[in-house]
Amino acid sequence: MTTDTSDLCVQVLETIPSCDRISRLVKCFSNEFSRAPSFVVRCSGRVNIIGEHVDYCGYPVFPMAIEQTILLAIAPSNDNLLHIKNANNNFKPYKCNVLTFSIDVPSVGGPYWYQYVLCGVKGILDSTAIKHDAPRGMLIMLSGNIPPASGLSSSSAIVSATVLGTAYMHNATLHKQTLATISAECEKFIGTQGGGMDQAIAYLAQEGCAQLIDWNPLRATPIQLPSDAVFVIANSLSEANKAATSDFNQRVVECRLASRLLAKQMKLNWRDLNRFADLQKALGYSLEEMESLVNGNLSQNSYTRMELLKLLEVTEDDFSENLLTPNTRNSQSFKLRQRALHVFQEALRVQQFIETAKITSDDSVSRMKTLMRQSHESLRSLYECSHENLDRIVQISDQLGIGTRLTGAGWGGCVVALCDGLDESKRFVEALKNEFYANIPKAQGCDIATLCFATSPQRGAEIYLMDKQNNILSLSS
């Protein structure tokens, strides 16, 4: 098996994170398939520090990879089948023909766990962006410790890990930006209209730095955070699967419609301007000017379907087929003003956050906390994607002077909190233990350390190879 190693590095086992988990997965794989895996892929979950629901609008985001990971052990099969299994026996195994499989997402409940794996396989095999060998069957076993539906990108980590593993199995060139782009595109096979943040940080993360992820072209800029900044992730224990409902895609559609309506009002080629960043570029406006444009032109709190048909001068069929997504085609009302205001204000907060992080001053962390509080309030009131459990954690945080916001799509999942030093982070964790988790039935009997923990930036996706002496080497993607 060969690969382009121009931007890869090899490390010995002792430097690889989660060695014990890898060893257990290799043993589980060997017991299940009666052979050792050829390699193991590791892909981290992520937490987005600030910049929520702006990536699919074309604006930069600021995530970092976390310690929780998805691991895939992979080997070629002796048939044309994909044998997909989970180290957790609560998840049923699945197998299909690599040449003929389809991804049929159920209308109720959203995708099955193995369908995220299928997305990654299909993404590589269908890709025209890279050269690869003919499709071949694979033995795949997954092990994950990223809490599902928590806003920490467990599903995207599965997709990205599978893209990397499938690419390597089929001797494709392993360029980070290309694989990140493929990973973002192929998640749409299950209906999610995301913007690419999760997949970008999965590949481009660097240990010790959060990454400012920008688009067109995809690029990552490492940003050193203040030395006294400590980030804590807290799980609200309210699950939110963005592919299981239309809530996420509804917001994407509302942003696209708002961009197109503003473009039409400004007498631009509105069909080609469905992202706010592209509209801003076409107008040559600043973010502040875009916010003023929204306030002056999108006067209604809600637009009906019929109102938008008239304003855009389109037919019902055109509107449904070309301006909506399959799971939003029955939507009758659209909140364009609120969504647009959030996006432009949030994009400005990202700029201010990065500027503050680059300037070492005594009040840097305090200013960053304020921006995170503002972000959550906007997500709660303008984007309407929070949850009562998330809001309760933020309320406790405010009482302690900690800057906290929901992270990920919302409607549940986790918050990310910025603390000023380790002592403050410990007080925060203790307060959540006593004032939040003590009152949540699902938390009873759980190890609080798995629900609420400090984290630091980790490195991007890696491949672990087994040599002839059964030692494991690390080949970063």
Side-chain angles (χ1 to χ4, degrees):
M1 186 175 295
T2 61
T3 185
D4 177 356
T5 59
S6 59
D7 64 343
L8 310 183
C9 63
V10 178
Q11 298 167 332
V12 296
L13 179 62
E14 284 74 17
T15 69
I16 297 174
S18 308
C19 290
D20 290 343
R21 282 188 58 222
I22 294 173
S23 298
R24 290 195 298 270
L25 177 60
V26 169
K27 182 177 180 180
C28 186
F29 183 101
S30 300
N31 290 339
E32 190 67 35
F33 293 116
S34 300
R35 62 152 295 172
S38 300
F39 58 92
V40 174
V41 178
R42 179 193 64 81
C43 188
S44 291
R46 66 95 188 96
V47 60
N48 189 26
I49 297 173
I50 196 164
E52 219 63 73
H53 288 284
V54 299
D55 56 340
Y56 51 79
C57 297
Y59 290 109
V61 291
F62 191 52
M64 67 181 183
I66 61 174
E67 296 174 17
Q68 285 70 15
T69 61
I70 294 295
L71 300 175
L72 292 183
I74 301 175
S77 67
N78 295 322
D79 49 30
N80 281 331
L81 299 182
L82 297 171
H83 303 260
I84 306 171
K85 300 195 175 187
N86 199 306
N88 183 338
N89 291 327
N90 292 326
F91 296 93
K92 293 182 179 180
Y94 183 79
K95 64 181 178 180
C96 60
N97 192 303
V98 71
L99 301 174
T100 61
F101 75 89
S102 60
I103 304 174
D104 303 313
V105 178
S107 58
V108 178
Y112 299 117
W113 73 274
Y114 59 81
Q115 290 181 310
Y116 294 102
V117 176
L118 294 179
C119 279
V121 175
K122 183 174 174 63
I124 289 298
L125 299 185
D126 287 1
S127 176
T128 59
I130 56 174
K131 295 180 180 180
H132 57 75
D133 292 349
R136 63 188 304 184
M138 292 187 286
L139 310 174
I140 302 173
M141 178 167 281
L142 182 150
S143 170
N145 64 356
I146 307 172
S150 63
L152 300 179
S153 192
S154 59
S155 57
S156 294
I158 295 174
V159 174
S160 297
T162 310
V163 163
L164 177 56
T166 305
Y168 190 76
M169 175 63 72
H170 290 81
N171 293 304
T173 301
L174 306 184
H175 288 315
K176 297 177 182 180
Q177 283 82 355
T178 303
L179 293 177
T181 300
I182 292 172
S183 298
E185 286 297 316
C186 69
E187 196 159 331
K188 295 176 183 177
F189 294 143
I190 53 170
T192 301
Q193 301 289 319
M197 170 182 65
D198 300 348
Q199 299 81 9
I201 192 63
Y203 292 102
L204 304 178
Q206 293 182 25
E207 191 168 5
C209 294
Q211 299 284 329
L212 180 66
I213 306 292
D214 210 339
W215 320 102
N216 301 319
L218 172 62
R219 60 187 181 274
T221 303
I223 304 293
Q224 193 71 45
L225 296 163
S227 59
D228 49 349
V230 177
F231 290 94
V232 174
I233 297 173
N235 194 332
S236 72
L237 293 176
S238 46
E239 293 189 354
N241 186 335
K242 66 184 178 185
T245 72
S246 63
D247 290 336
F248 181 87
N249 281 358
Q250 177 73 17
R251 302 305 188 275
V252 176
V253 163
E254 287 169 331
C255 289
R256 291 175 178 174
L257 288 172
S259 181
R260 283 168 160 153
L261 181 55
L262 288 170
K264 193 173 193 309
Q265 292 169 338
M266 300 301 287
K267 302 187 185 309
L268 298 172
N269 186 3
W270 64 270
R271 284 188 182 271
D272 294 337
L273 294 170
N274 69 342
R275 297 195 317 166
F276 286 132
D278 296 331
L279 174 61
Q280 180 186 354
K281 183 178 180 180
L283 291 171
Y285 284 8
S286 67
L287 285 169
E288 292 88 348
E289 288 171 329
M290 292 302 294
E291 183 178 349
S292 297
L293 181 68
V294 172
N295 284 323
N297 290 57
L298 299 180
S299 57
Q300 298 177 207
N301 285 331
S302 181
Y303 290 82
T304 67
R305 192 183 187 103
M306 289 304 299
E307 286 172 334
L308 289 176
L309 291 178
K310 292 177 181 178
L311 289 168
L312 292 171
E313 299 179 287
V314 296
T315 65
E316 172 66 42
D317 287 346
D318 186 7
F319 186 78
S320 179
E321 292 298 319
N322 299 317
L323 304 185
L324 303 181
T325 62
N327 66 346
T328 61
R329 283 183 182 147
N330 294 324
S331 298
Q332 297 299 316
S333 63
F334 304 87
K335 296 184 177 181
L336 308 189
R337 172 185 169 83
Q338 297 93 315
R339 312 316 185 213
L341 285 175
H342 165 76
V343 170
F344 293 125
Q345 292 169 1
E346 183 78 349
L348 186 58
R349 280 189 286 270
V350 173
Q351 285 186 6
Q352 295 168 340
F353 197 95
I354 299 303
E355 291 168 2
T356 303
K358 289 179 177 179
I359 301 172
T360 54
S361 63
D362 293 340
D363 65 343
S364 290
V365 172
S366 175
R367 290 163 59 192
M368 293 159 74
K369 285 181 177 181
T370 298
L371 291 167
M372 291 179 69
R373 292 190 193 99
Q374 291 172 350
S375 175
H376 182 81
E377 178 55 32
S378 180
L379 290 161
R380 186 191 68 81
S381 60
L382 293 177
Y383 228 71
E384 298 177 291
C385 63
S386 192
H387 183 280
E388 61 182 356
N389 283 9
L390 296 169
D391 294 338
R392 176 58 183 147
I393 294 175
V394 171
Q395 183 181 29
I396 295 170
S397 305
D398 287 344
Q399 294 169 355
L400 297 172
I402 292 168
T404 303
R405 57 181 290 278
L406 71 83
T407 187
W411 297 285
C414 290
V415 301
V416 57
L418 173 55
C419 301
D420 195 349
L422 285 173
D423 289 342
E424 186 170 83
S425 70
K426 291 176 182 178
R427 288 196 297 272
F428 176 52
V429 171
E430 190 65 22
L432 290 187
K433 179 180 179 180
N434 297 327
E435 299 178 39
F436 179 74
Y437 292 114
N439 301 315
I440 303 294
K442 288 177 68 174
Q444 307 314 307
C446 292
D447 180 2
I448 297 299
T450 66
L451 304 177
C452 185
F453 50 88
T455 189
S456 59
Q458 303 297 305
R459 59 185 186 243
E462 295 176 319
I463 298 171
Y464 304 124
L465 302 176
M466 299 183 68
D467 65 17
K468 294 180 180 179
Q469 289 75 40
N470 292 324
N471 295 316
I472 301 176
L473 301 175
S474 168
L475 198 63
S476 68
S477 68

